[in-house]
Amino acid sequence: MNLRILRIELRRSVAPWAGAVVVAFALAFLHLVPGAWSRGTTLWTAQWTSMALWTRFLLLFLWPLAVGLGALQGLRDHRSKMAELLASTPRPARHRAAALAGTTALALVSAFGLVLLVGAVRVLAGDAAYTHFGWLPVSLVGALALVAGAVLGMGVGRALPSVLTPPALAVGAFVAVSLLRQTTDAAVPSSAAPNRLALLSPAVSEVRQTVFTLSASVHLGQTLWLLGLAATGFALLAAAGPRARLLALTPLLAGGAVALLLLPADPRATYVVDRAAVTQVCDGPVCVTAARQARLAGMAGPGREALRLLRGALGEAAPVTVRETTVPRELLGEAERSRDALLVDFGDEVFGGASGERLTRALTGQGLVPLCHARSSAESGTLEEAVAQSVAAAWVLGGELRPLDGTMYTLKDWNAMARPVWEELTALPGPEQRQRIGALHAAAVSCTDFPFAALTAGRVQ
């Protein structure tokens, strides 16, 4: 296809509109619709991997649009009543199909690339110190998915020339992708469908932890499946008779069969930890992952101060290092705990935007009362843990009792529980106060049912 044909096809086809829809929808969704992609550590422009995965998540909506717009393009010859005339010309049908499919593919890839370019500029403008190219396969497969969906839609639109074909295909594609959609309720995303079947969907699950990425077997299996879809679509677009249309299904079936053999059956082999991203980068006893190396400078001072305070309060039971947690867990599941390390989860808003004295207070509270139930954009922990951390931190720092910034509970609820406990604790003799703080720490580390009861001499609030 030369430039002249490309210009003609751009004027005659819906390819420019398809590209414009992809760009407009994707950027409007990511910037205007609130969600995990627009805040916290999983912000879509926080890291390269999160950018790639969130744009792949958008295929839940963009892929059905591409299929429907492709089907609309496939009706062009039927709408113009030129099908018989074009069939009588000496030019092979595959040439016309290549010009039509190539133009649409170019428009969709350019549109998807523009969305990635916007994300890349914002990632570079942020504090993402961890630069890598592991995100490229995720995005390349996403671009291929849009092309394959559009070409498949064109082929089906030409084989079934009805005004109902584009909307029916778009709705059918959306239903299929939604049914195969993976959720993040568990430590590893899962679906109601078998894992291999769910991975035939071009969309991925929501991003909960930026240190996870798709495995190589997923990239390979999905690529072969999408190439089969594209080949079937192209064959249907160029087919001249019923037999040719039937044979056109061969690439789809072959690609699907090979993909199902390659795609992992175990969900834990779908998303794998990026080993380079979770490498610990340390400043003395304070460590963060390479993915959040930019946070280390602001963590080092408060981290050392928190360890000093904890040593004075807990003695030999105090943690000796501060490090970022990297262990996957189920949504609403127990958080990782350690007797030797003060574990930090930057998905917790208490740490996410904290610095200086506020960060020292948050680290001290976490070191004294390690969370049994994590706090994040999707979880709130428990009020008892929030109160226990603030009370323990105030006791160690010797200052005013106040809630930790970033928890999701109202000041009224916090006050109703914290003030009586604080007044009871500070009214005790010094040795008994220290004993209760030590008992609270021991209960929190072991994650017994009611660690908060240690502050109230066994009375559960």
Side-chain angles (χ1 to χ4, degrees), residues 254-271:
V258 175
L260 290 174
L261 292 175
L262 294 174
L263 292 171
D266 183 2
R268 295 186 178 275
T270 302
Y271 287 83

Side-chain angles (χ1 to χ4, degrees), residues 89-114:
T89 61
R91 187 184 181 192
R94 64 180 181 275
H95 289 183
R96 295 194 303 274
L100 184 59
T103 303
T104 304
L106 178 63
L108 289 173
V109 170
S110 299
F112 196 67
L114 181 58

Side-chain angles (χ1 to χ4, degrees), residues 47-57 116 135 138-139:
Q47 301 284 345
W48 292 101
T49 301
S50 61
M51 180 193 71
L53 289 174
W54 278 123
T55 49
R56 278 288 298 275
F57 169 78
L116 293 175
W135 61 275
V138 179
S139 296

